[in-house]
Amino acid sequence: MARKKKNSNEEMSFLDHLEELRWHLIRSVLAIVIIGVVAYFFKELIFNKILFGPKDPNFVTYRAFCHLSQKLGLDDSFCITEIPFIVQSRTMAGQFSAAIWTSVWAGVIIGFPYVLFQLWKFISPGLYEKEKRNSKGFIFIASFLFFLGVLFGYYIIAPLSINFLGNYSVSDQVQNNIDLDSYISIVRSSVISCGVVFELPILVFFLTKIGLITPEGLRSYRKFAVVIVLILSAIITPPDIASQIVVSIPILILYEVSIYISGFVLKKEKKEEERLKQEKNLTKTDNE
């Protein structure tokens, strides 16, 4: 459905679309910059409490795993007493650069709902009323899933990765002195990637709407999905079964939820088609 200009019945041209998209992008970038500036003034809190949190042996995730292993009667291998590496900055502007880019990424994460809102404002005028009704709650659900993924990445993926990589050694002759950018990259990639992965149900919803996937197709590829998830879990977690299971379960649950969503979308569309068909038959009967 073509867009309409405000206070006019004329359809927007391609250049008008580009101009409107430009302003939505400007607003999104401006919001990210403003949030990033505010985050910069809280850099000590962000670095000391948040970014370096998973480096502390008393981090909540390590304590939870230790308590769980003791409850299950396992050994103390899940009880972290030391993470033997130091974080260093080897360039003159290293810490300043890290503070700037961390503030920007904080703006991206915190401003994610507003960016989605701007995206929705650009897309929604081109949708039919039925499509708008079916997409109610899009911003809230997509934001909720994103932040849920961010929390999962921060409290599960990042601590497991930092603990494993920080303790890994090929020789006693090598000390782990981790560069600041490298450490931040591990935390950032864990958080952002999980936030994106948790958007899988939203992606499946829209792919089902346009007919690219079906629940039957998702079920038929389930066994391949399980293998892929287990491989990814083995790559991003320490080489033990328990850690891989902890990471795999939420992703597999998301996959199953996506199958249900795909089926729900098709079922709803089928009902809508039957309703329209009945209305058409009734109209035809009345005309006869």
Side-chain angles (χ1 to χ4, degrees), residues 79-267:
C79 296
I80 308 300
T81 57
E82 182 184 11
I83 302 179
F85 70 87
I86 63 172
V87 179
Q88 62 180 0
S89 178
R90 297 179 298 151
T91 59
M92 186 65 72
Q95 296 193 53
F96 178 72
S97 177
I100 293 297
W101 281 109
T102 298
S103 299
V104 171
W105 280 108
V108 171
I109 294 172
I110 298 173
F112 182 77
Y114 183 77
V115 174
L116 274 184
F117 173 70
Q118 289 298 323
L119 176 64
W120 177 250
K121 285 192 68 176
F122 176 72
I123 295 175
S124 59
L127 300 177
Y128 294 102
E129 288 302 320
K130 184 186 75 171
E131 294 172 330
K132 290 181 181 180
R133 289 195 302 270
N134 292 337
S135 301
K136 283 183 178 179
F138 163 72
I139 296 174
F140 173 79
I141 296 173
S143 299
F144 173 77
L145 290 173
F146 177 77
F147 288 124
L148 189 64
V150 165
L151 292 175
F152 180 76
Y154 178 72
Y155 284 105
I156 302 298
I157 303 296
L160 291 175
S161 300
I162 290 171
N163 177 51
F164 171 67
L165 297 175
N167 283 283
Y168 187 82
S169 175
V170 295
S171 171
D172 294 337
Q173 303 298 317
V174 182
Q175 292 183 340
N176 282 334
N177 296 327
I178 311 300
D179 192 73
L180 178 61
D181 287 339
S182 178
Y183 177 86
I184 294 175
S185 177
I186 287 291
V187 179
R188 182 181 63 238
S189 60
S190 299
V191 166
I192 299 295
S193 59
C194 286
V196 173
V197 168
F198 272 57
E199 294 294 324
L200 179 62
I202 300 294
L203 178 63
V204 168
F205 175 84
F206 285 106
L207 290 179
T208 304
K209 290 285 289 184
I210 61 179
L212 288 181
I213 62 175
T214 63
E216 291 76 16
L218 291 173
R219 291 190 186 98
S220 65
Y221 285 104
R222 181 190 280 122
K223 56 184 178 182
F224 300 106
V226 171
V227 173
I228 293 173
V229 168
L230 290 176
I231 292 174
L232 290 175
S233 301
I235 293 173
I236 64 179
T237 60
D240 61 81
I241 299 299
S243 299
Q244 294 173 22
I245 292 175
V246 167
V247 173
S248 300
I249 288 177
I251 301 176
L252 292 175
I253 290 175
L254 280 175
Y255 191 84
E256 295 299 324
V257 170
S258 299
I259 294 175
Y260 171 79
I261 291 174
S262 181
F264 175 78
V265 171
L266 290 182
K267 185 177 181 180

Side-chain angles (χ1 to χ4, degrees), residues 43-115:
K43 60 182 180 297
E44 292 185 4
L45 172 66
I46 293 174
F47 276 86
N48 293 334
K49 299 296 184 181
I50 299 176
L51 281 178
F52 292 136
K55 185 181 177 299
D56 187 353
N58 292 317
F59 190 60
V60 60
T61 302
Y62 303 138
R63 290 190 281 111
F65 278 127
C66 180
H67 179 72
L68 180 62
S69 65
Q70 291 174 347
K71 284 288 186 182
L72 296 175
L74 303 176
D75 56 24
D76 293 334
S77 59
F78 282 94
C79 296
I80 308 300
T81 57
E82 182 184 11
I83 302 179
F85 70 87
I86 63 172
V87 179
Q88 62 180 0
S89 178
R90 297 179 298 151
T91 59
M92 186 65 72
Q95 296 193 53
F96 178 72
S97 177
I100 293 297
W101 281 109
T102 298
S103 299
V104 171
W105 280 108
V108 171
I109 294 172
I110 298 173
F112 182 77
Y114 183 77
V115 174

